[in-house]
Amino acid sequence: MKVLAVTLLSFLAFGSGAVSAKTFGAEMPAGTAQSISAAITGFSGDSAEVQKFSGRVANVCRKKGCWMELEADGLSARVTMLDYGFFLPTDAHGDAEVFGTLSRVKLDEKTAAHYAKDAGIDVADVPREEFQLVAHSVVLAAP
């Protein structure tokens, strides 16, 4: 029954057609997701409410899948997993939905260096301030 519910939610979340989706973390709640670009554009910093966001996977931790970047319309947020409780495939790509809490954070040098190493990029290419989502649930759709 749980598999049927996840399959139905994935179908509704990612449109019609043959969609294969995989859920990581907690079960994804029903409801419409807000584009991460709209959420960032309208971000006021006043709410710590858990919400549902959509976008595409722009980058993922190559070491163990402990974070990903969710992007839409040129705006992105780094997604980290609640309490380091689950990981994503290191080759994750395509559309995604995230149920989590959005915030704006400043990165210290140690954290920026950690993200750069995991992404295989130069630390100078990691912004020192970014939007982050702490995810309770992530659903990845097959491309």
Side-chain angles (χ1 to χ4, degrees):
M1 186 64 153
K2 184 177 179 181
V3 173
L4 178 61
V6 170
T7 303
L8 179 58
L9 286 174
S10 299
F11 178 79
L12 294 172
F14 295 109
S16 61
V19 175
S20 175
K22 176 127 173 120
T23 301
F24 300 86
E27 190 171 325
M28 180 65 71
T32 304
Q34 178 182 28
S35 168
I36 191 62
S37 62
I40 289 171
T41 300
F43 184 78
S44 67
D46 295 335
S47 175
E49 183 180 335
V50 183
Q51 299 176 36
K52 197 170 177 181
F53 303 93
S54 64
R56 70 169 186 82
V57 178
N59 199 359
V60 66
C61 170
R62 295 180 186 177
K63 190 170 184 177
K64 65 169 99 173
C66 61
W67 59 262
M68 76 170 190
E69 291 176 7
L70 185 69
E71 186 273 336
D73 302 320
L75 298 174
S76 65
R78 185 179 310 274
V79 178
T80 58
M81 311 321 150
L82 180 66
D83 297 329
Y84 215 57
F86 60 97
F87 303 101
L88 303 174
T90 57
D91 63 349
H93 60 283
D95 292 333
E97 286 191 343
V98 175
F99 184 64
T101 306
L102 182 66
S103 63
R104 177 179 242 152
V105 299
K106 292 185 180 190
L107 300 180
D108 59 33
E109 288 300 316
K110 182 179 177 182
T111 303
H114 171 87
Y115 289 153
K117 183 178 178 184
D118 286 355
I121 61 174
D122 189 273
V123 70
D125 294 330
V126 176
R128 294 309 187 263
E129 186 172 295
E130 66 181 17
F131 284 95
Q132 286 189 358
L133 273 168
V134 176
H136 296 243
S137 178
V138 176
V139 174
L140 300 175

mmCIF file of all heavy atoms in Angstrom, residues 1 5 27 32 43 45 68 94 135 143:
data_model
loop_
_atom_site.group_PDB
_atom_site.id
_atom_site.type_symbol
_atom_site.label_atom_id
_atom_site.label_comp_id
_atom_site.label_asym_id
_atom_site.label_seq_id
_atom_site.Cartn_x
_atom_site.Cartn_y
_atom_site.Cartn_z
ATOM 1 N N MET A 1 0.821 -1.181 0.000
ATOM 2 C CA MET A 1 0.000 0.000 0.000
ATOM 3 C C MET A 1 0.873 1.255 0.000
ATOM 4 O O MET A 1 0.572 2.222 -0.681
ATOM 5 C CB MET A 1 -0.929 -0.039 1.218
ATOM 6 C CG MET A 1 -1.916 1.082 1.225
ATOM 7 S SD MET A 1 -3.013 0.935 -0.196
ATOM 8 C CE MET A 1 -4.427 1.717 0.413
ATOM 9 N N ALA A 5 0.993 4.373 -2.703
ATOM 10 C CA ALA A 5 0.839 5.778 -2.327
ATOM 11 C C ALA A 5 2.008 6.617 -2.837
ATOM 12 O O ALA A 5 1.816 7.707 -3.363
ATOM 13 C CB ALA A 5 0.712 5.909 -0.813
ATOM 14 N N GLU A 27 8.304 10.212 4.241
ATOM 15 C CA GLU A 27 7.349 10.191 3.143
ATOM 16 C C GLU A 27 7.022 11.636 2.744
ATOM 17 O O GLU A 27 6.847 12.499 3.600
ATOM 18 C CB GLU A 27 6.087 9.452 3.576
ATOM 19 C CG GLU A 27 5.133 9.160 2.452
ATOM 20 C CD GLU A 27 4.000 8.243 2.885
ATOM 21 O OE1 GLU A 27 4.241 7.353 3.716
ATOM 22 O OE2 GLU A 27 2.894 8.441 2.380
ATOM 23 N N THR A 32 0.928 20.808 -3.395
ATOM 24 C CA THR A 32 1.692 21.448 -4.454
ATOM 25 C C THR A 32 2.987 22.034 -3.906
ATOM 26 O O THR A 32 3.007 22.624 -2.831
ATOM 27 C CB THR A 32 0.857 22.590 -5.087
ATOM 28 O OG1 THR A 32 -0.375 22.035 -5.538
ATOM 29 C CG2 THR A 32 1.583 23.221 -6.248
ATOM 30 N N PHE A 43 11.582 35.411 -0.260
ATOM 31 C CA PHE A 43 12.093 35.069 1.071
ATOM 32 C C PHE A 43 12.170 36.306 1.963
ATOM 33 O O PHE A 43 12.742 37.321 1.599
ATOM 34 C CB PHE A 43 13.481 34.436 0.957
ATOM 35 C CG PHE A 43 14.038 33.958 2.264
ATOM 36 C CD1 PHE A 43 13.607 32.770 2.815
ATOM 37 C CD2 PHE A 43 14.989 34.702 2.942
ATOM 38 C CE1 PHE A 43 14.120 32.310 4.025
ATOM 39 C CE2 PHE A 43 15.510 34.255 4.146
ATOM 40 C CZ PHE A 43 15.073 33.063 4.685
ATOM 41 N N GLY A 45 12.685 35.641 5.563
ATOM 42 C CA GLY A 45 13.451 35.211 6.726
ATOM 43 C C GLY A 45 12.621 35.100 7.989
ATOM 44 O O GLY A 45 13.133 34.760 9.040
ATOM 45 N N MET A 68 22.697 18.451 -1.884
ATOM 46 C CA MET A 68 22.487 18.716 -3.306
ATOM 47 C C MET A 68 22.099 20.178 -3.452
ATOM 48 O O MET A 68 21.772 20.830 -2.457
ATOM 49 C CB MET A 68 21.394 17.824 -3.903
ATOM 50 C CG MET A 68 19.989 18.212 -3.549
ATOM 51 S SD MET A 68 18.803 17.283 -4.551
ATOM 52 C CE MET A 68 17.308 18.154 -4.155
ATOM 53 N N GLY A 94 18.068 15.591 -12.558
ATOM 54 C CA GLY A 94 16.676 15.710 -12.971
ATOM 55 C C GLY A 94 15.846 16.525 -11.999
ATOM 56 O O GLY A 94 16.365 17.242 -11.145
ATOM 57 N N ALA A 135 16.221 19.290 4.608
ATOM 58 C CA ALA A 135 15.200 18.407 4.058
ATOM 59 C C ALA A 135 14.767 17.318 5.027
ATOM 60 O O ALA A 135 15.597 16.641 5.623
ATOM 61 C CB ALA A 135 15.715 17.750 2.772
ATOM 62 N N PRO A 143 14.630 11.295 -15.209
ATOM 63 C CA PRO A 143 14.573 12.267 -16.303
ATOM 64 C C PRO A 143 13.724 11.776 -17.468
ATOM 65 O O PRO A 143 13.462 10.643 -17.634
ATOM 66 C CB PRO A 143 16.021 12.421 -16.718
ATOM 67 C CG PRO A 143 16.764 11.294 -16.117
ATOM 68 C CD PRO A 143 15.928 10.744 -15.009
#
